[in-house]
């Protein structure tokens, strides 16, 4: 079965600093999804990547899927307290419409 | 626009009691529906998913069950709760081949 490993598990950064979160899959990624979750709340969809080498941005958050389609990175530029939360990557199990498998998440704290 | 509702938001139930969590989606038809459980240190675990009325696929049979009595309604149930059922339950929906959108969740504490 496919597994997603996220690193780091937790991250504390100073406001204004850049950071990167990685998501590595044990199998080829057909679709890779990034979500953000605040404690005690549902997941908020950030972006989806499908093609090797694809890169998408939303405000100060950029995600990229590597050419071999087994790893994705999420990069936040000039972090702000509003970026704090848990970031989860999810992946299609096989090509097409099936439930996602998720990583365990990366907990991000941004300190002033 | 589409919205997804879950209730209750929080629930405290004794061991051995029944459970019923409800999820409804508005603004779309024939969605795929999902139930996940999020427990501390264990990430997001898929429990059930449904691609249509009456069609339920189970990932974790145990003592939980799911039903989809209407197109946009998904119910998670248990006849007798266990301590290990405590967690944060999330419902999600998606269109065929697209990203999933999650509800606000229900925090269940079994005492």
């Amino acid at each position: 079965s496919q597994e997603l490993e996220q690193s780091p598990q937790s991250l504390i950064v100073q406001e204004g600093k850049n950071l990167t979160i990685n998501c590595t899959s044990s199998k080829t990624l057909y679709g890779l999804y990034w979500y953000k979750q605040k404690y005690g709340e549902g997941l908020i969809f950030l972006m989806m990547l499908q093609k090797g080498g694809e890169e998408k941005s939303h405000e100060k958050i950029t995600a990229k899927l590597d050419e071999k389609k087994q790893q994705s990175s999420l990069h936040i530029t000039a972090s702000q307290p509003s970026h704090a939360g848990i970031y989860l990557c999810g992946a299609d199990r096989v090509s097409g419409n099936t439930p996602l498998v998720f990583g365990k998440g990366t907990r991000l704290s941004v300190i002033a | 626009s589409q919205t997804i509702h879950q209730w209750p938001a929080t629930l405290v139930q004794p061991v051995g009691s029944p459970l019923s969590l409800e999820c409804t989606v508005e603004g779309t038809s024939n969605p795929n529906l999902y139930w996940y459980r999020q427990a501390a240190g264990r990430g997001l675990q898929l429990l059930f998913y449904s691609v249509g009325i009456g069609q339920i696929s189970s990932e974790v049979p145990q003592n939980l069950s799911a039903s989809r009595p209407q197109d946009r309604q998904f119910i998670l149930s248990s006849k007798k709760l266990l301590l290990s059922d405590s967690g944060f339950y999330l419902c999600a929906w998606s269109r065929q081949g697209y990203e999933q959108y999650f509800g606000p969740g229900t925090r269940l504490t079994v005492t």
Side-chain angles (χ1 to χ4, degrees):
Chain A
S1 60
Q2 184 174 22
E3 292 184 355
L4 297 179
E5 185 173 336
Q6 287 187 237
S7 63
Q9 292 183 0
S10 64
L11 193 55
I12 302 173
V13 299
Q14 196 164 20
E15 184 177 355
K17 297 294 185 183
N18 303 337
L19 64 105
T20 300
I21 297 169
N22 293 304
C23 176
T24 302
S25 173
S26 58
K27 298 183 179 181
T28 298
L29 292 164
Y30 292 98
L32 190 285
Y33 306 77
W34 282 101
Y35 288 86
K36 179 186 174 184
Q37 183 182 29
K38 296 210 166 183
Y39 180 76
E41 299 181 9
L43 279 67
I44 297 171
F45 172 71
L46 295 176
M47 55 194 93
M48 172 188 174
L49 305 165
Q50 284 186 304
K51 300 176 183 177
E54 185 176 12
E55 184 172 313
K56 287 187 177 178
S57 294
H58 174 68
E59 297 179 345
K60 293 186 177 180
I61 301 176
T62 301
K64 184 174 181 180
L65 184 61
D66 78 356
E67 293 287 346
K68 295 183 179 179
K69 294 180 68 177
Q70 285 201 252
Q71 186 176 54
S72 177
S73 58
L74 185 84
H75 184 77
I76 299 178
T77 303
S79 58
Q80 300 169 3
S82 60
H83 288 128
I86 301 171
Y87 289 83
L88 296 100
C89 62
D92 288 320
R93 294 182 183 186
V94 294
S95 178
N97 181 43
T98 55
L100 302 180
V101 59
F102 283 90
K104 291 188 177 181
T106 295
R107 184 180 295 274
L108 171 64
S109 300
V110 180
I111 56 175
Chain B
S1 64
Q2 300 83 20
T3 55
I4 178 168
H5 304 279
Q6 283 187 247
W7 64 90
T10 59
L11 193 58
V12 180
Q13 293 281 97
V15 168
S17 64
L19 172 75
S20 181
L21 302 181
E22 191 164 341
C23 170
T24 58
V25 181
E26 295 178 356
T28 189
S29 59
N30 196 30
N32 293 333
L33 296 171
Y34 312 85
W35 277 113
Y36 290 88
R37 178 170 60 202
Q38 190 175 34
R42 295 190 61 184
L44 211 57
Q45 180 187 30
L46 177 69
L47 300 175
F48 301 94
Y49 69 98
S50 171
V51 298
I53 295 175
Q55 301 178 60
I56 309 293
S57 295
S58 172
E59 295 284 312
V60 185
Q62 296 185 356
N63 69 319
L64 297 173
S65 62
S67 62
R68 184 171 178 172
Q70 300 181 41
D71 181 44
R72 290 169 290 176
Q73 184 184 31
F74 205 22
I75 297 172
L76 182 70
S77 304
S78 174
K79 292 182 179 178
K80 290 185 178 182
L81 283 169
L82 306 172
L83 284 174
S84 57
D85 291 324
S86 292
F88 192 51
Y89 288 81
L90 289 158
C91 180
W93 75 273
S94 73
R95 292 192 191 93
Q96 192 87 359
Y98 289 86
E99 64 274 8
Q100 295 178 14
Y101 293 94
F102 286 79
T106 295
R107 183 160 301 281
L108 171 66
T109 303
V110 182
T111 59

